[in-house]
Amino acid sequence: MGSLFRSETMCLAQLFLQSGSAYDCVSELGEMGLAEFRDLNPHVSAFQRKFVGEVKKCEELERILGYLVQEIKKADIAVPEASVRPTAPLPKHVLEIQEQLQKLESELKEVNKNKEKLQKNLLELTEYVHMLRVTKSFVQRSSEYETSSRACYEEFPTIEKESLMDYTCMQRLGAKLGFISGLVHYAKLESFEKMLWRACKGYTILTYRELDEFLKDPDTEEPTKWFVFLVSYWGDQIGQKVKKICDCYHCHMYPYPNSAEERQEIISGLNTRIQDLHAVINQTDDYLRQVLFKASELVYKWVIQVKKMKAIYHVLNFCSFDVTNKCLIAEVWCPVADLQNLKRALEEGSRKSGASVPSFINRIPSNETPPTLIRTNKFTAGFQSIVDAYGVGTYREVNPAPYTIITFPFLFAVMFGDFGHGLLMSLFALVLVLYENSPKLQRTQDEFMKAFFEGRYIILLMGLFSVYTGLIYNDCFSKSLNIFGSSWNVSAMFVAGVWDSNKDLSNQYLTLDPNVTGVVMGVYPFGIDPIWNLASNRLTFLNSFKMKMSIILGVVHMTFGVVLSAFNYLHFKKNYSLFLVFFPELIFMMCIFGYLVFMVVFKWLAWSAEKSNTAPSILLHFINMFMFTGNDNNYLLYTGQTGFQIFLVVLVFLCVPVLLFGKPLYLYWQHHGGQTFGNYRKGYTLVHRGSEEELSLLRPHDLEEGGSHTGHEALREREKEEFDVTEVFMNQAIHTIEYCLGCVSNTASYLRLWALSLAHAQLSEVLWTMVLSKGLSVLPSSVGVVLLVPALAAFSVLTVFILLVMEGLSAFLHALRLHWVEFQNKFYSGAGYKFTPFSFNDMALYLD
């Protein structure tokens, strides 16, 4: 079978890489993604490996590139991404890239440092200008106060009545008046004022005012509210205290002018310097933008090259050196189908490096379980991820994903069946499929949107299958579609005289009799007849139909899983399991639940509406089958039913001991009683007793270059392994009990198809009745049009979030459980590990 149905054949190979061409060879392998490298130095720390210096160099280049990308994004410059990704740089070009990046980093840091200094100077000058402008109003208010106070003459005026700027009064008192001015943060103003009063004991006068505009905070770079303050004090000791308090509160202090003329001269000089700084900063910004714009054209290429280079050296650290220290040896897992491509990659790497001795590959035998590789595309990847979430398949066992492509959306649709809801889901998925190449969708970091995008093809199939099952159920937003016209004829009941037009028309409940001629005109072409939407027993009819359908689908699904296990036994050459496990399991399943499905279908075909009164109960027959009893009131389905059912039950009970003891006893006999016969059958026998020499008839694919002796040793070691019959018996006993009990519980588990389908239909009907129907009922009135709009909006929102999202998620999880527990456990162990080749395509080759 192909790779999709079973994992690919893998092999373990040794790569002999010449020291000069190892980098180029690994680069070619990374571009092609063919091999998974094994770590040959597991006990060597990361700091003691051969290429740790190169890895650190790559990390340093990544740091520089991160700084460069940050500056480019800060300048709001778009980074063009090339359609063709650059290859890893040659070792001789790495030094050139390193020099360019270091030079660019130092230049950017120097320019940014100068720009920060200029902006800091500009901020200080701006604050100084604001301080001088605001404190000028303080002086004007003080002068007005001084003029008014002189009208009231006092020989010895008090300190409180002195003008703030009256130097003559202060000189007369023998004190030296001083001023400290600046800006303080608005959050620190109240504490600053209290501290000044307490520390200086009232020998200071604080005057402050809020700035009209916001200024940048030098620490946070955010616009902040500031207050301009002016502290007048007398005495040098008080002045020292005030300065220390200002430093403690991180106030921005500036010199205070002694006169109005000096103030005006300072403001004029500051304005000139501010204009000059603006011009210099603009020129600096232009130069910085030019440098970043040139760098943006190469930064994508550099980022990809450095990432690839670091990955190559990381892989080279997995390799070991030979005794001559001139050749690197690597061990890789590789698909057998890609061995020729792997050889060509090594040849191309050797050619690019110009090595005189080419690198080569040597396939070696191994007893280890190879990794599992299943090739997928954008369509099958989503379904394969559903299977891998349960467990990565064991090497070369049957892959459930191809069958999941059909069964998963179908079982989902059985639970979600609604034409309208399925159509909305299909349209949503179709939009994601049409825009699947959008970089915004491919790189989205939103978890919900990412899950929807990665499962777009799953959602598309789930929607399409829901449209199909919705047509089968004849359900569209809880209403039936009369596409072909009903096959039931009501008028025939009046024509036949069963109904009286004068009396029965007033009766709310009337029963259509299919036995009356002309009432049933045939079978509805597709799905359920729309007349059932008007019937009072609609729910009873649909429950019976969906319950039996769930049992039939469940038994078919599980039986198919059991059949798939036979392909595993045949592939792994376990023919004894075919007779001792597969056939008993299949007989057990078919004799109980296969027979149940047979009775359901037989009753559908054998009993018509005319004989419906004498139709037997399948449930009673099924119970009596295991009780070995009969019921005279319950008619037989066919002649000889009782004897055939007893035969089936006996067959079921005989399958249990075969399942329980067959495999352990056969393996015990094979490893003890039938050992000599087994050796002859396998193709070799001992030459003489006590000798280690063996005459081997190896299969052709076991004859590997230089590995035949190793293969013999592996065969001998495998034969010497101790056989534990107790462990085998316990495992088989657990498997038997789990299977026999699981057949019952798993079949009952498929009834969730019926339950969720019923819940979805009823919830949809409730939503229609309680929301949209209320808006439509008042439509003829003038208010009806106004109420219809919010009713329609509420119906749409509730439909999307409850019926599509919540109900869809519920049906998805139940379908997932049916595949994991009821279907896959019949044949799929999921005990393998995934093949993860060294590939540059798996790296995040774009700028975050």
Side-chain angles (χ1 to χ4, degrees):
M1 289 188 288
S3 174
L4 187 61
F5 295 92
R6 196 184 294 277
S7 61
E8 293 221 359
T9 307
M10 308 293 292
C11 67
L12 184 64
Q14 277 186 335
L15 305 183
F16 293 88
L17 310 174
Q18 303 302 319
S19 298
S21 61
Y23 179 92
D24 298 279
C25 291
V26 174
S27 175
E28 287 296 320
L29 293 177
E31 295 292 345
M32 302 181 72
L34 299 175
E36 176 183 346
F37 285 81
R38 302 175 67 192
D39 191 0
L40 301 182
N41 309 301
H43 302 296
V44 181
S45 66
F47 303 101
Q48 296 175 337
R49 305 211 174 192
K50 180 70 175 178
F51 298 96
V52 63
E54 286 77 4
V55 173
K56 289 183 178 179
K57 185 187 297 182
C58 294
E59 290 175 350
E60 175 65 17
L61 295 180
E62 283 183 334
R63 183 195 62 79
I64 298 174
L65 286 169
Y67 169 74
L68 186 58
V69 171
Q70 181 182 358
E71 291 297 321
I72 291 173
K73 289 186 175 181
K74 189 187 295 184
D76 199 18
I77 298 175
V79 179
E81 296 186 5
S83 57
V84 180
R85 293 170 178 171
T87 58
L90 298 176
K92 58 184 178 182
H93 296 158
V94 174
L95 187 59
E96 180 182 349
I97 295 176
Q98 185 179 7
E99 290 177 353
Q100 290 179 348
L101 288 176
Q102 289 177 346
K103 181 181 178 181
L104 192 58
E105 181 193 24
S106 61
E107 185 177 5
L108 285 176
K109 285 186 175 181
E110 186 67 26
V111 173
N112 283 329
K113 186 178 180 181
N114 294 334
K115 182 181 175 181
E116 288 176 1
K117 288 182 179 179
L118 293 172
Q119 289 177 338
K120 185 178 180 181
N121 292 338
L122 178 62
L123 180 61
E124 292 176 351
L125 296 179
T126 306
E127 289 179 350
Y128 198 6
V129 169
H130 285 297
M131 189 275 295
L132 293 174
R133 177 177 56 80
V134 173
T135 54
K136 183 179 180 181
S137 63
F138 296 166
V139 175
Q140 289 176 352
R141 289 203 309 269
S142 300
S143 301
E144 293 172 1
Y145 177 74
E146 180 182 358
T147 304
S148 61
S149 63
R150 285 178 180 174
C152 302
Y153 175 76
E154 294 183 12
E155 185 175 2
F156 297 101
T158 62
I159 296 298
E160 288 78 4
K161 294 182 180 180
E162 278 296 293
S163 169
L164 187 61
M165 302 299 296
D166 193 351
Y167 292 97
T168 57
C169 290
M170 301 308 298
Q171 289 174 354
R172 186 173 64 212
L173 292 174
K176 181 180 180 182
L177 184 64
F179 299 94
I180 293 178
S181 58
L183 280 78
V184 63
H185 195 275
Y186 76 98
K188 302 177 182 178
L189 178 63
E190 185 177 355
S191 175
F192 176 65
E193 184 178 8
K194 290 180 180 178
M195 181 60 71
L196 278 177
W197 175 260
R198 292 174 181 175
C200 301
K201 300 179 181 180
Y203 287 98
T204 58
I205 298 176
L206 174 64
T207 311
Y208 56 85
R209 180 179 171 186
E210 183 182 350
L211 281 181
D212 298 334
E213 58 183 275
F214 287 80
L215 296 178
K216 271 189 178 182
D217 189 340
D219 298 327
T220 61
E221 296 291 333
E222 295 180 358
T224 312
K225 187 188 299 182
W226 294 88
F227 278 83
V228 174
F229 68 88
L230 177 64
V231 181
S232 55
Y233 64 90
W234 44 90
D236 292 336
Q237 292 183 355
I238 298 298
Q240 294 296 327
K241 286 185 178 182
V242 172
K243 289 179 181 178
K244 290 181 180 179
I245 293 172
C246 291
D247 290 336
C248 179
Y249 281 87
H250 302 285
C251 299
H252 301 169
M253 294 182 290
Y254 298 99
Y256 187 78
N258 295 325
S259 61
E261 293 78 9
E262 184 180 355
R263 180 192 303 274
Q264 193 62 35
E265 183 179 350
I266 293 175
I267 291 175
S268 177
L270 290 176
N271 289 331
T272 304
R273 290 178 60 187
I274 288 174
Q275 291 178 358
D276 294 341
L277 281 175
H278 276 298
V280 174
I281 290 175
N282 290 334
Q283 292 178 358
T284 305
D285 285 336
D286 293 340
Y287 175 74
L288 182 62
R289 191 169 184 82
Q290 290 177 3
V291 174
L292 292 175
F293 187 79
K294 291 181 180 178
S296 66
E297 297 176 352
L298 296 172
V299 69
Y300 175 77
K301 176 183 176 182
W302 286 337
V303 168
I304 303 304
Q305 286 182 330
V306 171
K307 282 185 177 181
K308 289 185 176 182
M309 182 169 58
K310 182 181 178 182
I312 291 171
Y313 284 120
H314 179 70
V315 168
L316 289 176
N317 278 329
F318 286 172
C319 305
S320 62
F321 279 88
D322 67 340
V323 291
T324 61
N325 213 30
K326 294 181 180 179
C327 177
L328 278 79
I329 302 175
E331 288 187 4
V332 297
W333 288 110
C334 175
V336 175
D338 290 334
L339 278 177
Q340 294 301 322
N341 295 331
L342 186 62
K343 292 178 181 178
R344 281 195 289 269
L346 295 179
E347 292 172 358
E348 181 66 18
S350 301
R351 186 190 62 79
K352 285 185 178 180
S353 63
S356 57
V357 179
S359 302
F360 60 94
I361 181 174
N362 178 33
R363 187 173 168 184
I364 58 175
S366 174
N367 293 330
E368 297 184 28
T369 303
T372 301
L373 169 63
I374 298 175
R375 302 186 193 271
T376 58
N377 52 37
K378 61 183 180 181
F379 177 75
T380 59
F383 297 97
Q384 188 64 50
S385 64
I386 290 177
V387 175
D388 290 343
Y390 174 81
V392 178
T394 307
Y395 177 65
R396 297 293 289 165
E397 77 172 342
V398 172
N399 180 28
Y403 319 106
T404 305
I405 294 175
I406 300 300
T407 58
F408 184 85
F410 177 71
L411 293 182
F412 170 88
V414 170
M415 296 179 279
F416 193 75
D418 189 287
F419 177 81
H421 299 157
L423 188 61
L424 292 177
M425 184 178 290
S426 301
L427 292 175
F428 170 73
L430 187 61
V431 172
L432 294 179
V433 171
L434 293 176
Y435 292 93
E436 63 183 8
N437 295 324
S438 170
K440 186 177 180 180
L441 285 175
Q442 291 176 347
R443 302 175 187 177
T444 180
Q445 298 299 319
D446 184 77
E447 292 185 3
F448 290 102
M449 196 62 206
K450 189 175 182 180
F452 286 141
F453 179 73
E454 291 179 351
R456 58 193 181 278
Y457 288 102
I458 301 177
I459 300 174
L460 179 62
L461 285 184
M462 291 192 305
L464 294 177
F465 275 85
S466 297
V467 170
Y468 169 75
T469 53
L471 291 174
I472 293 291
Y473 299 156
N474 204 347
D475 209 355
C476 180
F477 297 112
S478 78
K479 295 300 174 183
S480 295
L481 300 176
N482 193 2
I483 302 175
F484 304 103
S486 177
S487 299
W488 291 74
N489 185 11
V490 178
S491 60
M493 297 293 290
F494 294 99
V495 173
V498 180
W499 290 353
D500 189 350
S501 58
N502 296 325
K503 298 179 180 179
D504 292 331
L505 286 179
S506 59
N507 190 358
Q508 187 177 0
Y509 297 102
L510 295 173
T511 302
L512 288 170
D513 188 356
N515 295 320
V516 176
T517 306
V519 173
V520 179
M521 299 180 294
V523 180
Y524 192 71
F526 189 81
I528 295 176
D529 196 296
I531 200 172
W532 283 104
N533 193 51
L534 305 174
S536 59
N537 61 337
R538 170 176 178 266
L539 196 58
T540 305
F541 166 72
L542 290 178
N543 276 345
S544 176
F545 165 71
K546 292 182 179 180
M547 180 176 62
K548 293 173 182 176
M549 177 195 64
S550 301
I551 295 296
I552 294 172
L553 291 177
V555 172
V556 171
H557 198 211
M558 290 189 296
T559 305
F560 180 61
V562 175
V563 171
L564 288 178
S565 66
F567 292 95
N568 280 333
Y569 298 142
L570 291 173
H571 176 79
F572 293 114
K573 294 181 172 50
K574 295 182 178 180
N575 297 329
Y576 61 89
S577 293
L578 200 64
F579 296 98
L580 300 176
V581 179
F582 167 68
F583 284 119
E585 287 181 350
L586 187 62
I587 293 172
F588 186 92
M589 175 70 72
M590 298 310 296
C591 287
I592 300 179
F593 300 103
Y595 180 67
L596 176 63
V597 172
F598 164 76
M599 287 194 294
V600 171
V601 177
F602 185 85
K603 182 180 176 181
W604 281 345
L605 298 176
W607 267 263
S608 63
E610 298 176 356
K611 299 185 293 183
S612 60
N613 293 329
T614 61
S617 171
I618 295 177
L619 181 60
L620 291 179
H621 277 304
F622 197 62
I623 294 174
N624 294 334
M625 174 180 172
F626 291 94
M627 300 295 293
F628 295 102
T629 59
N631 190 341
D632 297 335
N633 297 326
N634 194 27
Y635 295 97
L636 294 177
L637 287 168
Y638 54 89
T639 306
Q641 178 183 354
T642 305
F644 183 67
Q645 289 182 167
I646 293 175
F647 169 74
L648 291 180
V649 174
V650 171
L651 203 58
V652 166
F653 283 112
L654 290 177
C655 288
V656 175
V658 176
L659 268 175
L660 184 60
F661 300 107
K663 182 178 176 179
L665 292 178
Y666 174 79
L667 292 177
Y668 178 81
W669 172 81
Q670 187 182 36
H671 285 78
H672 294 82
Q675 186 176 14
T676 306
F677 171 74
N679 288 339
Y680 277 107
R681 184 172 53 83
K682 289 177 184 177
Y684 66 89
T685 183
L686 294 179
V687 175
H688 56 84
R689 187 178 300 274
S691 171
E692 293 185 356
E693 299 178 359
E694 293 178 359
L695 183 62
S696 301
L697 300 177
L698 298 179
R699 290 167 292 180
H701 60 78
D702 287 331
L703 294 173
E704 302 297 342
E705 185 178 355
S708 59
H709 180 68
T710 309
H712 300 172
E713 294 292 336
L715 287 173
R716 285 197 299 271
E717 290 297 327
R718 210 175 296 129
E719 289 299 320
K720 291 179 182 179
E721 289 181 359
E722 183 181 357
F723 173 74
D724 190 356
V725 67
T726 307
E727 182 179 356
V728 175
F729 178 77
M730 289 300 297
N731 290 334
Q732 189 61 25
I734 293 172
H735 172 76
T736 303
I737 296 172
E738 181 184 8
Y739 179 80
C740 295
L741 297 180
C743 284
V744 180
S745 62
N746 292 349
T747 304
S749 180
Y750 277 92
L751 290 174
R752 71 185 67 238
L753 298 174
W754 158 50
L756 265 77
S757 175
L758 174 65
H760 185 82
Q762 292 301 303
L763 191 59
S764 180
E765 187 173 352
V766 168
L767 197 61
W768 177 280
T769 306
M770 301 300 294
V771 180
L772 194 58
S773 181
K774 299 292 184 183
L776 294 173
S777 62
V778 293
L779 191 60
S781 63
S782 58
V783 187
V785 179
V786 180
L787 294 178
L788 184 61
V789 175
L792 187 60
F795 178 77
S796 302
V797 172
L798 292 175
T799 297
V800 170
F801 286 99
I802 295 180
L803 293 179
L804 288 181
V805 178
M806 293 180 61
E807 279 286 308
L809 181 61
S810 175
F812 180 89
L813 294 176
H814 282 283
L816 199 64
R817 181 242 154 79
L818 289 177
H819 279 78
W820 283 357
V821 179
E822 278 73 30
F823 174 60
Q824 289 182 188
N825 74 341
K826 301 292 186 297
F827 65 97
Y828 185 72
S829 61
Y833 62 100
K834 203 168 186 178
F835 175 67
T836 52
F838 171 62
S839 175
F840 295 141
N841 295 327
D842 297 333
M843 299 166 54
L845 298 180
Y846 54 85
L847 302 180
D848 295 331

